[in-house]
Amino acid sequence: MTSPLKNDRFLRALRREPVDRTPVWLMRQAGRYLPEYRETRRQAGSFLGMAKNPDVACEVTLQPLRRFPLDAAILFSDILTIPDAMGLGLYFVEGEGPKFERPVRSAADVAKLGVPDMETELGYVMDAVRVIRRELDGAVPLIGFSGSPWTLACYMVEGGGSKDFARIKAMALNEPAALHALLSVTADAVVAYLAAQRAAGAQALQVFDTWGGVLSPAMYREFSLPYLQRIAQGLERGEGAQRTPLILFGKGTAAYLEDLADTGAEGIGVDWLVELGEAARRTGGRVALQGNLDPTTLYGSPDAVRREVRRALDSYRDGNGGSREGHVFNLGHGMSPDMNPEHVAVLVDEVHAYSAR
Ligand code: CP3
């Protein structure tokens, strides 16, 4: 059926097995910092037009892999496909980011939501996974992804991005049952979505809890963590070497590393506000760790990029009993449109060169 993997460093690292070099991929590795992406986007007309066309989504997924020897591909799509398929009406305003025509503002709005059908309403995502797997031809593994229930709910309730998350926090305080109902149906949709991506060919899965860190600890433990647990426990992903690893990425959630390591996920993605060595000590080999270079490091000179890459690699090794096993190199969050592709080349080269010694 499909070709065996030619490069399985990323999957081996997630199983905490020895690797010849530390694997590396970058959040938002496909995007506007690449001139070829901007050209494809100009032709396709819009971001959603790209994401909803499996051949274009495949082309854009492969663009960074043609430039850099990355160890994984990530599906070109968005976390907001689920609420869009739930009927909220996703659209993008140039320079303002994502918005919903019909945000969720009340218990009555929540009651109207259901889990979308994965092969019809979200069929374009599964088709993209299948096309990308075919075109990758086993070069590197393909990562599928979803937003976390909390992070998706933030966009669904706020109606777009937010600075203070006033609406959803008010819902948490005033109507916690409505918010739990929203998180619950969203968690069911996330589990079905990740399972469908896995069935279509995704070889690893990542959940983005981008806004987990805006919650107080008590609220995080009530409104985000339990739903991450539900995904890690409820998502069927096979056994042993065939198991499809799940990575839970959180921004500003380093305080909960021990809890995240206890969810049953195979990997935890960490931002740059925690030392990787400390993260490794605190999780004690129970999970693989992914991260955690500050993305703005890419604004530094090539020498500065190399120095910071070595620092992150050494920090992980020192906290992991002197071994590089169980580390997937990444940024602590996504890349920005004004970053220099040449600095990305330097980053990827240094990860491979330094970790091979
Ligand atoms: O990492 C990758 O290369 C895969 C593709 C990917 C995109 N979005 C493409 C995209 C992934 C994994 C995402 C996830 C995503 N989307 C998250 C979680 C990760 C994170 O960054 O925290 C969030 C919060 C979203 C919601 C979203 N989608 C926002 C806030 C925006 C606007 C961003 C901006 O810079 O304008 C998007 C649009 C989006 N998703 C773009 C891309 C490449 C920009 C599209 C464009 O204008 O061409």
Side-chain angles (χ1 to χ4, degrees):
M1 196 187 84
T2 40
S3 356
L5 270 176
K6 291 160 195 147
N7 172 353
D8 66 349
R9 268 179 208 136
F10 169 70
L11 296 178
R12 290 179 63 90
L14 286 168
R15 293 195 296 263
R16 299 189 56 86
E17 292 171 3
V19 282
D20 60 339
R21 286 142 201 249
T22 298
V24 52
W25 70 279
L26 304 173
M27 289 188 272
R28 287 280 172 94
Q29 65 191 23
R32 285 168 292 183
Y33 77 102
L34 292 176
E36 57 270 34
Y37 173 93
R38 295 195 298 269
E39 177 56 23
T40 307
R41 189 175 186 276
R42 200 184 54 75
Q43 287 168 12
S46 69
F47 166 68
L48 275 181
M50 293 169 84
K52 291 193 175 181
N53 179 323
D55 292 318
V56 176
C58 175
E59 162 59 23
V60 175
T61 299
L62 299 181
Q63 284 174 349
L65 298 161
R66 294 190 191 116
R67 277 187 184 246
F68 318 115
L70 295 157
D71 297 298
I74 179 160
L75 164 69
F76 185 80
S77 187
D78 201 80
I79 62 167
L80 302 177
T81 51
I82 288 181
D84 186 44
M86 285 175 162
L88 273 62
L90 174 65
Y91 66 103
F92 284 85
V93 182
E94 197 63 56
E96 286 182 49
K99 298 222 184 298
F100 286 115
E101 284 166 28
R102 293 170 290 278
V104 175
R105 292 280 155 77
S106 64
D109 291 342
V110 174
K112 287 184 229 147
L113 302 174
V115 175
D117 185 87
M118 298 300 151
E119 285 296 342
T120 56
E121 285 147 307
L122 288 162
Y124 66 91
V125 176
M126 308 314 149
D127 287 341
V129 171
R130 286 184 279 262
V131 173
I132 298 165
R133 269 301 298 274
R134 189 187 70 214
E135 294 302 314
L136 272 174
D137 194 29
V140 291
L142 175 62
I143 306 167
F145 69 91
S146 169
S148 73
W150 165 256
T151 292
L152 291 175
C154 285
Y155 287 96
M156 294 166 85
V157 172
E158 299 292 336
S162 176
K163 283 194 169 58
D164 53 13
F165 300 90
R167 284 195 167 96
I168 192 163
K169 287 188 177 179
M171 191 188 265
L173 293 163
N174 303 333
E175 290 184 278
L179 181 54
H180 279 298
L182 172 59
L183 292 165
S184 186
V185 67
T186 305
D188 290 345
V190 168
V191 169
Y193 190 53
L194 293 174
Q197 290 183 44
R198 176 173 179 261
Q203 291 144 297
L205 300 164
Q206 175 157 322
V207 171
F208 289 86
D209 193 22
T210 304
W211 301 123
V214 306
L215 289 166
S216 67
M219 282 210 180
Y220 179 83
R221 290 181 195 286
E222 178 170 359
F223 296 108
S224 188
L225 184 61
Y227 296 95
L228 296 173
Q229 277 161 347
R230 213 160 113 179
I231 294 162
Q233 299 293 314
L235 180 66
E236 162 58 40
R237 48 194 190 279
E239 294 304 325
Q242 297 310 310
R243 189 166 172 87
T244 308
L246 173 70
I247 303 165
L248 301 179
F249 166 76
K251 197 157 158 272
T253 55
Y256 318 111
L257 275 170
E258 292 85 351
D259 307 87
L260 290 165
D262 282 342
T263 56
E266 286 69 31
I268 305 300
V270 288
D271 71 12
W272 62 96
L273 299 181
V274 61
E275 283 287 347
L276 266 187
E278 183 201 323
R281 275 189 292 273
R282 282 170 50 198
T283 51
R286 285 177 290 153
V287 286
L289 292 179
Q290 178 176 278
N292 75 341
L293 200 69
D294 181 344
T296 62
T297 305
L298 286 166
Y299 296 126
S301 66
D303 279 349
V305 171
R306 290 191 189 277
R307 185 180 71 229
E308 293 302 315
V309 164
R310 293 194 294 268
R311 231 178 48 73
L313 283 166
D314 285 346
S315 175
Y316 180 85
R317 184 202 54 200
D318 293 348
N320 192 50
S323 156
R324 300 196 191 280
E325 286 167 24
H327 183 201
V328 173
F329 200 97
N330 206 315
L331 304 174
H333 196 205
M335 294 186 60
S336 299
D338 60 350
M339 287 172 169
N340 183 345
E342 285 169 34
H343 292 198
V344 177
V346 168
L347 183 158
V348 173
D349 178 70
E350 190 65 23
V351 173
H352 285 158
Y354 189 72
S355 65
R357 297 194 321 188

